[in-house]
């Protein structure tokens, strides 16, 4: 047992996180090359990368699907997940972060913290994932490590602990100074590994100054380091390394490294930092789960009862792959496990060590492993698999509500059933895709996280299933909220149709929930009934009925959000009152209250960051204003203007093409959801 636990200390489960085009996939490719996993360097622009193996990723030049790979460095096994950077695929990032122990956040040395960098950082915050930062592309014109670090401090609010100093700048960037060991690491053109040497004389004074700043920053946050610093007025390299590891694990500091992944400079020190500072499965808290209302913990122990979380499902030509993070116990080929959510038994056919689209067979997987298994028929992303005699349900990754929808239909009527099967498989692989039938039109509606998300999904149906489909114009998901509520609305539900009747009497107050509108979410229910006029079990039934009523609002049948409902009074009947009666009263009572309230239509809004040449700013501002955008900032960076604005999502369809045409192809933009805002009365949503 001790041998197995010791082996876990050499495992690192980490993800690569960043904004689109910051260089995540290139960093991953260079890691695979440096560790000897691949023997040629894959390039995104050539379509030769290991992790971007899907044909759409090659065509679009971006990461769409989270890809897992495994490699070895300095006696450690690194399970690596390259995540998407585009906001439309944020749910892929969410599912990956749920099962990772650590992460490398990649930042562009010119742009610093970009909108999606901030979004994925907040996602990692929610799951408490320790991170180190890698400032990439230091060889670009306008690259500046200090500016990038300052943006990390200002926008993400961690304490950046910079452990390297660049040697040279822009085209002249040749290496880094390691501030812990006070040595220079340089990469000559055409050389695969770093040459170690003394710190260049021209940088010695600056390196000493920065080493001092690093020591002071660490001592300020780490008690043991502070004690040594006070005694000796300096910190040894070993003390610094130990303190940096502790601060990384606790989240009190973020180690910052730098380099240029494309030119293969800085990758080996990054791997050393992954091993030195990011946690092993034994360093993270025991996973928590529940079963039948009882909370349980499972430590990362191969001898404990088996428990794993499925975080990705992928259908291939050779079978259905279910990606697992094993939290405790051991799973072997041919074992029977239980899906704790459905309480169904599943048999594991094969266990695979994943190398993106290539696999190596394993006999077993232990606690701390990330593997794929073949043979599971019903497990979905978010399912807990466990030993049948030790059931446990782990918290699944959260799934965001879709915001954009399109109508999809087969061009040939004979393909309708095949299209339904293909869409069902899509939704099975990607829980952020929702397929439904519109009750008014009978159309099949596909909903997702953005225009690109739906484009990719539809193209996947075309390519993988050979179907010709017709796609309608995208539409956004609106919400309704209460602008002015009502008080004392009385609703009596009385039904007598032979036998036991139904009776429920409720009095409801409805008011806006102050924090609900901007967030696009929020429902609060409370009861102020006294004297037992409505028993507690019926109060819960009224709440359930109110939640049922939120599905369709009075303005246009959109979901209702941002309101508080208070049950102030009610009455019961000795024989005819029941949970069903009070649930019905809650549902119809709230519907009546909403019709009597002043309601407001909400539309999804996004924060748009547009980067354009300075001479095109006026044109871009005018176009944003025409799209009902509200400009919140504009800065000049490296000869380009960066404009930030809040724009209704419905106004952004086709914006990429319009922006390119107005800037001669030189403009780019990114968008991230910020919530919901009241829609003008002139907006009529398409249903």
């Amino acid at each position: 047992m001790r041998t197995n636990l010791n082996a876990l200390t050499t495992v690192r489960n980490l993800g690569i996180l960043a904004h689109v085009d910051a260089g995540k996939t290139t960093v991953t490719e260079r890691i695979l090359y440096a560790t000897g996993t691949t023997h040629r360097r894959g390039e995104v622009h050539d379509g030769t990368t290991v992790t971007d193996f899907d044909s759409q990723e090659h065509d679009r030049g971006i990461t769409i699907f989270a890809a897992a790979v495994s490699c070895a460095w300095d006696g450690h096994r690194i399970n690596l997940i390259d995540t998407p950077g585009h906001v439309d695929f944020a749910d892929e990032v969410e599912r990956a972060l749920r099962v990772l122990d650590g992460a490398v956040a990649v930042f562009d040395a010119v742009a610093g913290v970009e909108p999606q960098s901030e979004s994925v950082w907040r996602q990692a915050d929610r799951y408490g994932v320790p991170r180190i930062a890698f400032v990439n592309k230091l060889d670009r014109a306008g690259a500046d490590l200090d500016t990038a670090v300052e943006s990390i401090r200002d926008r993400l609010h961690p304490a950046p602990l910079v452990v390297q100093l660049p040697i040279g700048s822009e085209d002249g960037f040749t290496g880094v100074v390691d501030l812990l060991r006070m040595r220079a690491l340089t990469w000559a053109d055409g050389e695969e590994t770093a040459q170690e040497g003394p710190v260049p004389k021209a940088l010695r004074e600056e390196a000493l100054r920065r080493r001092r700043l690093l020591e002071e920053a660490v001592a300020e946050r780490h008690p043991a380091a502070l004690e040594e610093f006070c005694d000796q007025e300096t910190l040894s390299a070993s003390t610094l390394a130990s303190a940096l590891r502790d601060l990384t694990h606790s989240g009190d500091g973020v180690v910052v490294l730098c380099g240029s992944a494309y030119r293969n400079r800085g990758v080996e020190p990054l791997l050393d930092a992954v091993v030195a500072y990011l946690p092993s499965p034994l360093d993270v808290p025991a996973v928590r789960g529940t079963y039948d209302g009882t909370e349980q913990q499972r430590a990362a122990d191969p001898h404990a009862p088996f428990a794993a979380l499925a975080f990705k499902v992928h259908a291939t030509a050779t079978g259905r792959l279910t990606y697992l993070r094993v939290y405790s116990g051991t799973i072997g080929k041919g074992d029977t496990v239980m899906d704790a959510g459905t309480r169904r038994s599943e048999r594991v056919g094969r266990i695979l060590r994943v190398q993106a689209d290539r696999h190596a067979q394993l006999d077993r997987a232990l606690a701390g492993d990330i593997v794929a298994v073949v043979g599971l028929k019903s497990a979905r992303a978010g399912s807990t698999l466990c030993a049948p005699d030790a059931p446990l349900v782990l918290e699944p990754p959260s799934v965001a509500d879709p915001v954009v929808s399109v109508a999809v239909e087969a061009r040939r009527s004979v393909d309708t059933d095949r299209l339904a099967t293909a869409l069902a498989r899509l939704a099975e692989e990607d829980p952020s895709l929702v397929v439904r039938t519109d009750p008014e039109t009978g159309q099949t509606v596909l909903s997702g996280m953005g225009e690109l998300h739906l484009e990719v999904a539809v193209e996947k149906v075309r390519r993988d299933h050979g179907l010709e489909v017709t796609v309608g114009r995208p539409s956004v998901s609106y919400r309704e909220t209460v602008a002015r509520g009502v008080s004392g609305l009385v609703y009596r539900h009385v039904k007598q149709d032979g036998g036991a009747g139904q009776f429920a009497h409720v009095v409801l107050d409805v008011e806006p929930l102050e924090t609900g509108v901007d967030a696009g979410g929020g429902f609060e229910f409370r009861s102020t009934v006294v004297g037992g006029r409505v028993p507690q079990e019926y109060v819960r039934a009224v709440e359930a009925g109110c939640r049922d009523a939120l599905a369709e609002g009075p303005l246009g049948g959109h979901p209702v959000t941002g309101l508080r409902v208070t049950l102030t009074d009610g009455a019961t009947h000795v024989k005819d009152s029941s949970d069903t009666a009070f649930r019905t009263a809650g549902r119809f009572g709230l519907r009546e209250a909403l019709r009597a309230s002043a309601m407001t239509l909400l539309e999804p809004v996004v924060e748009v960051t547009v980067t354009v040449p300075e001479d095109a700013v006026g044109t871009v501002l005018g176009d944003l204003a025409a799209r009902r955008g509200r400009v919140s900032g504009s800065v000049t960076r490296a000869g380009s203007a960066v404009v930030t604005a809040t724009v209704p999502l419905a106004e952004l369809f086709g914006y990429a093409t319009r922006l390119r045409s107005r800037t001669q192809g030189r403009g780019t933009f990114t968008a991230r959801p910020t919530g919901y805002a009241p829609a003008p009365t002139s907006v009529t949503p398409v249903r």
Side-chain angles (χ1 to χ4, degrees):
M1 175 176 175
R2 178 57 52 192
T3 302
N4 287 333
L5 288 177
N6 287 342
L8 288 180
T9 63
T10 63
V11 175
R12 299 290 183 272
N13 294 315
L14 68 134
I16 307 292
L17 312 174
H19 183 90
V20 65
D21 285 338
K24 297 179 311 303
T25 300
T26 302
V27 169
T28 304
E29 292 297 319
R30 296 304 183 266
I31 286 175
L32 295 179
Y33 184 72
T35 57
T37 307
T38 58
H39 300 291
R40 64 186 297 266
R41 288 180 282 187
E43 305 294 354
V44 173
H45 55 272
D46 292 335
T48 57
T49 58
V50 172
T51 53
D52 285 355
F53 56 84
D54 187 86
S55 58
Q56 289 200 70
E57 294 177 313
H58 292 168
D59 294 346
R60 299 174 188 270
I62 61 172
T63 300
I64 296 173
F65 309 106
V69 292
S70 186
C71 55
W73 180 259
D74 193 24
H76 292 69
R77 180 159 50 79
I78 299 174
N79 296 319
L80 184 67
I81 297 181
D82 178 24
T83 65
H86 197 284
V87 65
D88 282 17
F89 309 105
D91 254 43
E92 283 276 324
V93 183
E94 189 86 16
R95 292 192 290 275
L97 282 170
R98 173 62 181 83
V99 300
L100 294 174
D101 300 327
V104 175
V106 180
F107 300 95
D108 187 315
V110 177
V113 176
E114 298 173 272
Q116 189 61 11
S117 309
E118 192 169 351
S119 296
V120 295
W121 190 274
R122 301 302 172 214
Q123 287 177 290
D125 280 342
R126 287 201 301 274
Y127 289 108
V129 176
R131 279 141 282 171
I132 60 178
F134 182 69
V135 178
N136 192 27
K137 301 188 178 183
L138 273 177
D139 57 327
R140 283 186 59 196
D144 187 282
L145 174 63
D146 291 338
T147 302
V149 169
E150 199 57 36
S151 72
I152 293 173
R153 189 192 312 275
D154 292 342
R155 298 196 62 176
L156 305 181
H157 311 298
L161 305 171
V162 184
V163 298
Q164 291 177 342
L165 170 66
I167 299 175
S169 61
E170 300 182 355
D171 278 345
F173 172 68
T174 59
V176 297
V177 174
D178 177 359
L179 297 178
L180 268 72
R181 297 170 181 81
M182 292 304 288
R183 58 176 180 168
L185 300 172
T186 57
W187 289 264
D189 287 337
E191 293 293 330
E192 305 293 350
T193 58
Q195 300 298 314
E196 184 177 336
V199 178
K201 289 183 179 179
L203 290 176
R204 177 164 286 278
E205 185 176 339
E206 178 65 11
L208 290 172
R209 185 184 73 83
R210 293 189 180 230
R211 164 67 183 246
R212 184 70 175 181
L213 290 174
L214 175 63
E215 290 177 350
E216 291 172 353
V218 169
E220 183 181 335
R221 294 167 176 81
H222 193 278
L226 177 61
E227 184 176 344
E228 181 175 318
F229 188 76
C230 291
D231 288 345
Q232 303 179 19
E233 298 185 357
T234 187
L235 293 177
S236 65
S238 60
T239 299
L240 258 181
S242 177
L244 288 170
R245 177 179 171 83
D246 292 342
L247 293 173
T248 300
H249 289 194
S250 66
D252 294 326
V254 175
V255 173
V256 180
L257 302 98
C258 60
S260 168
Y262 179 68
R263 296 176 68 177
N264 208 38
R265 294 175 181 174
V267 176
E268 296 101 322
L270 175 61
L271 282 165
D272 290 337
V274 164
V275 167
Y277 306 130
L278 290 180
S280 73
L282 291 178
D283 295 321
V284 298
V287 68
R288 294 175 179 271
T290 60
Y291 198 76
D292 288 341
T294 304
E295 184 174 298
Q296 303 177 34
Q297 291 188 19
R298 294 280 171 85
D301 182 352
H303 297 273
F306 172 72
L309 185 70
F311 66 94
K312 182 178 176 69
V313 174
H314 180 51
T316 69
T318 56
R320 186 175 183 269
L321 292 180
T322 304
Y323 291 75
L324 302 180
R325 162 64 194 266
V326 182
Y327 282 100
S328 67
T330 302
I331 182 174
K333 185 170 61 174
D335 286 356
T336 298
V337 298
M338 184 176 80
D339 184 333
T342 62
R343 305 196 181 196
R344 293 180 58 178
S345 294
E346 297 262 31
R347 185 178 180 277
V348 177
R350 289 182 292 155
I351 303 174
L352 307 173
R353 175 82 65 210
V354 183
Q355 299 289 359
D357 60 338
R358 292 167 294 192
H359 315 105
Q361 295 210 32
L362 300 173
D363 290 330
R364 61 185 60 250
L366 310 177
D369 272 336
I370 291 179
V371 295
V373 298
V374 179
L376 306 186
K377 296 179 180 178
S378 63
R380 301 290 185 265
S383 296
T384 301
L385 300 175
C386 58
D389 58 349
L392 181 74
V393 178
L394 303 175
E395 180 184 356
S398 60
V399 180
D401 293 330
V403 294
V404 179
S405 302
V406 292
V408 183
E409 62 181 25
R411 286 189 180 176
R412 301 187 305 169
S413 58
V414 294
D415 289 335
T416 301
D417 290 343
R418 289 180 60 206
L419 176 60
T421 301
L423 292 175
R425 179 174 290 181
L426 269 184
E428 178 183 316
E429 292 186 12
D430 185 352
S432 60
L433 287 170
V434 176
V435 181
R436 64 180 176 85
T437 301
D438 190 301
E440 296 179 9
T441 65
Q443 290 179 305
T444 299
V445 178
L446 179 65
S447 303
M449 304 307 298
E451 201 172 2
L452 179 60
H453 190 203
L454 296 180
E455 280 181 22
V456 168
V458 171
E459 188 62 23
K460 191 172 177 63
V461 169
R462 289 180 176 135
R463 295 189 184 190
D464 293 0
H465 300 273
L467 290 169
E468 294 185 5
V469 297
T470 302
V471 182
R473 185 182 183 276
S475 61
V476 302
S477 298
Y478 290 85
R479 299 285 186 268
E480 299 177 25
T481 193
V482 175
R484 185 180 66 255
V486 295
S487 298
L489 185 133
V490 178
Y491 187 86
R492 291 169 61 87
H493 174 64
V494 181
K495 187 175 182 181
Q496 196 74 42
D497 53 3
Q502 293 186 28
F503 177 89
H505 175 96
V506 296
V507 181
L508 302 175
D509 289 351
V510 177
E511 59 186 323
L513 187 62
E514 294 79 4
T515 59
V517 174
D518 291 337
F523 169 70
E524 185 179 306
F525 181 88
R526 62 185 182 183
S527 171
T528 59
V529 177
V530 295
R533 291 178 60 82
V534 180
Q536 189 60 40
E537 62 268 24
Y538 294 162
V539 170
R540 288 193 291 269
V542 174
E543 179 180 358
C546 288
R547 291 187 181 277
D548 294 341
L550 298 178
E552 295 184 356
L555 291 182
H558 309 290
V560 181
T561 187
L563 73 159
R564 177 187 292 113
V565 177
T566 305
L567 177 65
T568 60
D569 201 1
T572 61
H573 186 277
V574 175
K575 293 184 178 179
D576 293 346
S577 290
S578 64
D579 283 357
T580 301
F582 272 91
R583 182 165 186 160
T584 303
R587 181 169 68 253
F588 288 105
L590 181 53
R591 285 182 182 175
E592 191 171 305
L594 292 176
R595 286 194 291 269
S597 301
M599 301 294 292
T600 297
L601 185 69
L602 301 176
E603 61 181 347
V605 295
V606 296
E607 182 186 78
V608 176
T609 301
V610 187
T611 304
V612 294
E614 291 185 78
D615 59 4
V617 171
T619 302
V620 168
L621 290 176
D623 192 33
L624 289 173
R627 295 172 184 271
R628 298 190 284 126
R630 291 184 290 109
V631 176
S632 56
S634 178
V635 298
T636 301
R637 181 190 297 157
S640 298
V642 181
V643 178
T644 306
T646 301
V647 185
L649 179 61
E651 301 289 348
L652 280 184
F653 296 136
Y655 182 60
T657 302
R658 183 68 172 269
L659 179 64
R660 283 195 294 267
S661 67
R662 291 198 165 203
T663 60
Q664 290 78 50
R666 297 178 294 167
T668 61
F669 84 99
T670 59
R672 67 183 181 98
T674 58
Y676 284 76
T681 54
S682 59
V683 171
T684 304
V686 179
R687 288 195 40 79

